Amino acid sequence: MNLLFKIAGTHVRNRLRQTIVSTLGVALGVGFSIAMAALMQGSQRDFVESLINAIPHVEIRDEKRDPTLQPASRFYQAVAFHGLRPLDDIGGIRNPTEAMASLRDWVDGNLAQQLSGQAVLRYSGQDLGMTLVGVVPTDELSVSTIKDDMRRGRFEDLATTPDSLVIGDSAAGRLGADLGDTVTVTSASGLSKRFKIVGIFHKGVSASDEALAYAPLKAVQILLEKPNVINRITLRLDTIAEAPAVAERAERQLGYKAVSWEEANEGLMEAFAVRNVIMYTVVGAILVVAGFGIFNIISTIVHEKARDIAILKSLGFPEHDIQLIFVLEGLVIGILGALAGCLLGYGLSSYLSTIRFEFSVGREMTHLPIYMSVWHYAIASGIALISAGVAGFFPARRAARLNPVDIIRGAT
Amino acid sequence: MAGDRPLVQGTPLLEARGLTRILPGVVPVTLVQNVSFTIGCGEFVAITGPSGSGKSSLLYLLGLLDRPTAGEVLIHGKATHTLPKKDLARIRLEQIGFVFQFHFLLPEFSARDNVMIPMQRLGALTPKQQKTRATDLLKNFGLADYVDRLPAELSGGQRQRVAVARALANAPRLILADEPTGSLDSRATEQVFDTLQSIVTETGTSIVAVTHDMDLASRMQRRIHLVDGAIDTDQILPPSVRD
Ligand SMILES: Nc1ncnc2c1ncn2[C@@H]1O[C@H](COP(=O)(O)OP(=O)(O)OP(=O)(O)O)[C@@H](O)[C@H]1O
Ligand SMILES: [Mg+2]
């Protein structure tokens, strides 16, 4: 084995320049794969993290998974009914206090109740349709990042000021209203109430900044004529991974639809999975190309060293040994390339993480999100080694099968 | 004298039975034709014949490097044509030392390392013993001062002697040498011949050597003369002729 290594070493050293070039090929492939993986997974984690911060981990809505049966269906087995007037359902989660208390019993994390509905805000002759969300301010603060989004005023003031309102900065701008101004809010059924603006937020999501307003729960229940009713419970869990399990249990317990953040963003998660598949395909392709480089140089060496192969075989080296020599050469290039590639990858991702970007629209990103994982290094190196082994295997097999006498006759 | 011992003792070391090698092609070329003979332990055999008469080709067949078109080679009475390549390689490693007509050494290895290669593959000696043995072998051929030289730094005759030393590395039962003294002057030829002769005498190793040197051939115990790939004469030379 030692001897085979030594022989492989002399071959590689003889073709040092070509060896270095193909090693660099592998190194570049591995290095860029690692940097790309770090960037891709970094951005994914960054995105998911801010998503998880911005949305509830579990959301319970006043909906059922299956549509409510109309009374007629309960009594008659029929394919369809005509001329049926559906039963009016005022909706909402009834008995919120009881529901909240039963959840608090076992959920590790914070809960908040909401009642939201459509309303029109009016100020100085301007009308703006908005989603009005009634909240218990202290609860809401414990489940959301709204506090960080406050630009002016304080969210906590919703609790101390009766009939107060916190609206998005775009909405405020459109209405021409400012902190301390009083706006008129009209519900769909025509009820009006005056609210004082105590805070202005900016979430960086235009749908919220333009059309979302928070008010104390009691005031919204009165305005929407739904006393003691809520239509949404949001949960912020201590352990995010428990979200699906918590959602399932809550749904079974309350009978309302409970959705975990993963379920709510299923499409996004699929998109990430597809992105990863694409990434590893590209990584694989790069390393296959590097493999061709290795194949090329090993083939050259086999051709060049045909005489040595004949000598070794005539001395009594079995085919297996000859094959091993050249596979080793491929692997040596692969290993050196993978090592250099890991260093390159580390350097590249470290460098990328120092680059700063500024986006004015949407989410602010101050630097490229880089996530370093041993797995990126292991996977890229693993693929490189497999590709190097395969690339070495074929010329090695050809070398092993060379007929020594043909070579010796040819050399004389 | 070696010649005083019986030439064939018990099972012959090597037996060729109707060996024929034909290169296939549009016009098939017959390299070796129906060659049969036995070689016992401790024989020193010369193979002579005109250039192109198939001496090298016969040696490749005897060394199990090439497979005969017809006939077979038996080693210690055991047929070899049915053995897998792996086993043939093992026999070559342990029992046969081969010297090519054109001294083939590994160019990146020093003279001593070249001699050590078969020992390293066999692994019967410790690395230290291997090194000592390789140095001693080279010394026998007058190369004590050249052990660390690369083949490119040696003369043709020196390389040939390194190749002979390498063939002896694993103390094989049989040495097949294709013109081992082809590019040596008379003094060096003498040295190589004496060394080989003493190996035959002392260890009972058999040597089959192709040579053009009629004087040298006449000093061996037996001479097989080839013409056009077939045995022309196979004569045992009495000691009186040799001395
Ligand atoms: N590949 C080949 N194709 C055709 N003919 C070949 C081939 N190889 C060898 N020969 C022929 O086979 C014959 C035997 O060759 P071989 O090398 O065995 O001769 P030799 O006795 O060793 O000659 P020399 O003394 O010159 O070394 C020669 O006539 C040679 O021309
Ligand atoms: Mg010849």
Side-chain angles (χ1 to χ4, degrees):
Chain A
M1 192 67 193
N2 252 337
L3 177 62
L4 302 186
F5 251 120
K6 199 172 157 192
I7 295 171
T10 64
H11 292 175
V12 168
R13 241 173 288 133
N14 265 344
R15 283 267 162 196
L16 199 58
R17 226 183 50 211
Q18 262 178 295
T19 306
I20 290 174
V21 169
S22 50
T23 306
L24 277 182
V26 178
L28 286 180
V30 171
F32 280 110
S33 305
I34 289 171
M36 194 162 80
L39 190 57
M40 297 272 275
Q41 203 180 346
S43 63
Q44 177 177 338
R45 288 175 70 100
D46 194 63
F47 193 88
V48 169
E49 199 175 305
S50 44
L51 184 75
I52 287 172
N53 269 329
I55 63 169
H57 299 163
V58 176
E59 181 183 358
I60 301 165
R61 282 187 239 131
D62 62 336
E63 300 164 19
K64 312 272 175 164
R65 285 259 169 200
D66 308 305
T68 329
L69 284 179
Q70 291 298 324
S73 325
R74 282 195 219 129
F75 295 110
Y76 306 105
Q77 291 287 325
V79 178
F81 296 99
H82 284 284
L84 205 67
R85 183 201 288 214
L87 201 68
D88 257 357
D89 186 355
I90 65 156
I93 299 171
R94 250 76 59 90
N95 277 330
T97 327
E98 196 184 308
M100 292 287 284
S102 68
L103 285 175
R104 276 209 174 91
D105 270 353
W106 59 272
V107 172
D108 293 325
N110 299 320
L111 292 86
Q113 45 187 334
Q114 291 184 352
L115 173 66
S116 58
Q118 297 304 310
V120 176
L121 264 69
R122 164 174 290 219
Y123 181 74
S124 64
Q126 296 278 345
D127 281 347
L128 204 55
M130 307 261 283
T131 303
L132 185 64
V133 184
V135 296
V136 179
T138 46
D139 287 357
E140 190 62 24
L141 283 168
S142 73
V143 300
S144 72
T145 51
I146 182 73
K147 190 176 177 148
D148 302 332
D149 298 329
M150 293 305 292
R151 282 294 152 91
R152 304 173 59 201
R154 284 162 19 101
F155 195 81
E156 294 89 323
D157 289 351
L158 284 178
T160 49
T161 319
D163 295 346
S164 48
L165 197 67
V166 170
I167 63 171
D169 57 351
S170 307
R174 284 221 201 155
L175 289 170
D178 205 350
L179 208 63
D181 290 339
T182 302
V183 297
T184 309
V185 181
T186 310
S187 76
S189 56
L191 219 64
S192 277
K193 211 167 165 28
R194 287 164 67 77
F195 285 82
K196 186 180 171 199
I197 298 175
V198 296
I200 290 173
F201 65 79
H202 174 82
K203 292 192 179 192
V205 181
S206 38
S208 300
D209 293 342
E210 277 170 18
L212 197 66
Y214 292 96
L217 179 63
K218 280 275 157 342
V220 176
Q221 282 172 340
I222 293 167
L223 185 73
L224 299 180
E225 296 170 287
K226 290 181 175 176
N228 204 27
V229 167
I230 59 167
N231 55 14
R232 193 164 173 258
I233 299 174
T234 55
L235 275 67
R236 188 170 187 81
L237 303 176
D238 296 341
T239 320
I240 295 160
E242 281 171 7
V246 170
E248 205 198 309
R249 183 165 166 189
E251 180 162 332
R252 244 187 301 121
Q253 183 180 341
L254 300 178
Y256 292 104
K257 184 172 176 179
V259 175
S260 70
W261 70 273
E262 277 162 312
E263 190 186 345
N265 294 282
E266 218 164 11
L268 194 68
M269 294 297 132
E270 271 167 26
F272 278 132
V274 169
R275 212 171 71 136
N276 283 338
V277 169
I278 292 173
M279 176 182 79
Y280 280 107
T281 308
V282 172
V283 168
I286 294 174
L287 291 169
V288 164
V289 171
F292 277 110
I294 295 178
F295 176 84
N296 197 29
I297 184 187
I298 305 287
S299 297
T300 309
I301 293 176
V302 167
H303 183 76
E304 214 173 49
K305 288 293 176 187
R307 237 178 62 131
D308 292 20
I309 295 166
I311 297 172
L312 291 172
K313 289 187 86 169
S314 70
L315 289 177
F317 282 67
E319 294 195 349
H320 175 256
D321 282 17
I322 309 293
Q323 182 158 342
L324 196 57
I325 288 174
F326 292 95
V327 170
L328 275 177
E329 286 169 23
L331 284 181
V332 163
I333 294 174
I335 290 169
L336 290 180
L339 284 178
C342 285
L343 288 178
L344 179 69
Y346 182 78
L348 262 178
S349 15
S350 304
Y351 171 71
L352 285 177
S353 68
T354 62
I355 299 182
R356 295 191 173 276
F357 284 95
E358 211 62 64
F359 288 110
S360 52
V361 211
R363 243 155 33 88
E364 283 88 356
M365 193 195 261
T366 48
H367 61 90
L368 281 177
I370 294 290
Y371 178 75
M372 297 206 200
S373 157
V374 192
W375 281 108
H376 301 155
Y377 294 77
I379 290 172
S381 303
I383 297 178
L385 284 188
I386 291 171
S387 145
V390 172
F393 175 79
F394 291 99
R397 199 178 50 175
R398 196 158 50 79
R401 291 183 180 170
L402 283 179
N403 181 358
V405 173
D406 287 347
I407 295 161
I408 293 158
R409 280 212 188 97
T412 54
Chain B
M1 268 317 286
D4 298 335
R5 293 184 293 147
L7 292 180
V8 177
Q9 306 157 323
T11 321
L13 174 62
L14 178 79
E15 185 176 355
R17 275 191 200 158
L19 276 185
T20 300
R21 177 68 165 111
I22 299 169
L23 282 184
V26 189
V27 186
V29 184
T30 303
L31 305 178
V32 175
Q33 204 174 355
N34 197 24
V35 168
S36 302
F37 57 80
T38 26
I39 290 171
C41 291
E43 274 199 81
F44 200 166
V45 182
I47 293 184
T48 56
S51 182
S53 58
K55 305 182 296 292
S56 297
S57 304
L58 176 60
L59 228 49
Y60 300 148
L61 292 172
L62 298 180
L64 311 178
L65 287 172
D66 202 7
R67 292 211 188 240
T69 311
E72 54 181 327
V73 175
L74 291 89
I75 304 245
H76 290 306
K78 258 181 68 186
T80 55
H81 64 284
T82 48
L83 294 177
K85 285 182 179 173
K86 186 166 63 84
D87 294 359
L88 296 183
R90 193 72 198 174
I91 293 174
R92 281 201 297 276
L93 181 67
E94 289 174 344
Q95 314 208 26
I96 302 177
F98 208 100
V99 183
F100 291 107
Q101 186 167 10
F102 299 90
H103 34 86
F104 285 165
L105 302 176
L106 292 191
E108 291 91 2
F109 288 72
S110 71
R112 179 166 47 207
D113 287 345
N114 262 286
V115 177
M116 279 170 69
I117 286 172
M119 305 186 214
Q120 282 176 286
R121 180 63 188 82
L122 189 64
L125 302 177
T126 65
K128 211 173 159 178
Q129 289 170 324
Q130 291 170 7
K131 197 168 171 181
T132 314
R133 177 167 168 79
T135 312
D136 289 346
L137 282 170
L138 288 168
K139 221 176 266 171
N140 287 343
F141 293 106
L143 294 172
D145 297 335
Y146 302 90
V147 289
D148 290 321
R149 296 249 188 125
L150 291 177
E153 300 161 350
L154 296 171
S155 76
Q158 288 168 336
R159 277 182 239 167
Q160 196 154 36
R161 282 178 278 165
V162 174
V164 176
R166 185 179 62 190
L168 301 176
N170 283 340
R173 311 294 306 274
L174 175 67
I175 291 167
L176 302 170
D178 201 348
E179 309 249 13
T181 57
S183 48
L184 300 184
D185 60 18
S186 56
R187 208 175 70 85
T189 300
E190 215 45 47
Q191 192 175 21
V192 169
F193 181 80
D194 287 346
T195 310
L196 293 181
Q197 179 66 66
S198 67
I199 286 166
V200 170
T201 316
E202 285 158 22
T203 65
T205 300
S206 301
I207 299 179
V208 178
V210 170
T211 182
H212 273 122
D213 188 335
M214 283 307 159
D215 176 50
L216 205 62
S218 66
R219 288 163 64 190
M220 300 182 198
Q221 300 163 357
R222 179 176 170 192
R223 190 177 124 193
I224 296 173
H225 189 73
L226 288 187
V227 174
D228 289 339
I231 295 184
D232 181 53
T233 53
D234 179 355
Q235 47 185 162
I236 292 169
L237 305 173
S240 57
V241 177
R242 282 183 266 143
D243 302 322

